[in-house]
Amino acid sequence: MTPEELVAGLADVRVPESFARFGVQDALAACALGLLAGLLISALLKLVTGRRTTSLEKTRKAIAALALRDRQLRLTGLAALLRRNGGRAPEGLQKALYDPQASFDPAKLESAVLAAAKRGPKR
């Protein structure tokens, strides 16, 4: 028996009539699937086209958070930000990091960190 003869001998597929009709439930299911697809696409588009924070904005937020800390922790955090952004340490920072009694203005370090963040990290 050839494959053509075998296929010709098969009975027709019988589908219940209720499956062949397009009813209200089918329309509601199609609308629900469409809404779900729209929500998924909307979420993906929001991720793709969303506003990204720049390095300078992140640095400003970190500086604002460090302003609430005590002096030594603030200096250490600012020095870490400066290093991450590839900046040069201002004069007197080395001594201020290791000697709590050394006088050092954190505003100088903040301006150095911001200047380094504007230039961007070294590669």
Side-chain angles (χ1 to χ4, degrees), residues 33-74:
L33 288 175
L35 288 173
L36 185 62
L39 287 173
L40 289 174
I41 290 171
S42 172
L44 287 174
L45 284 176
K46 188 180 267 188
L47 284 174
V48 172
T49 62
R51 184 175 181 274
R52 291 170 181 32
T53 56
T54 63
S55 175
L56 184 61
E57 290 172 341
K58 289 178 186 176
T59 302
R60 284 192 174 137
K61 284 182 184 178
I63 288 173
L66 286 171
L68 304 174
R69 303 293 183 158
D70 67 333
R71 184 179 177 277
Q72 276 307 111
L73 189 58
R74 182 178 181 191

Side-chain angles (χ1 to χ4, degrees), residues 59-105:
T59 302
R60 284 192 174 137
K61 284 182 184 178
I63 288 173
L66 286 171
L68 304 174
R69 303 293 183 158
D70 67 333
R71 184 179 177 277
Q72 276 307 111
L73 189 58
R74 182 178 181 191
L75 286 177
T76 306
L78 288 171
L81 282 173
L82 185 66
R83 180 181 218 180
R84 185 172 63 202
N85 287 316
R88 297 199 50 119
E91 195 67 37
L93 175 64
Q94 190 77 16
K95 184 176 180 185
L97 285 173
Y98 293 104
D99 184 12
Q101 271 60 31
S103 65
F104 185 77
D105 185 19

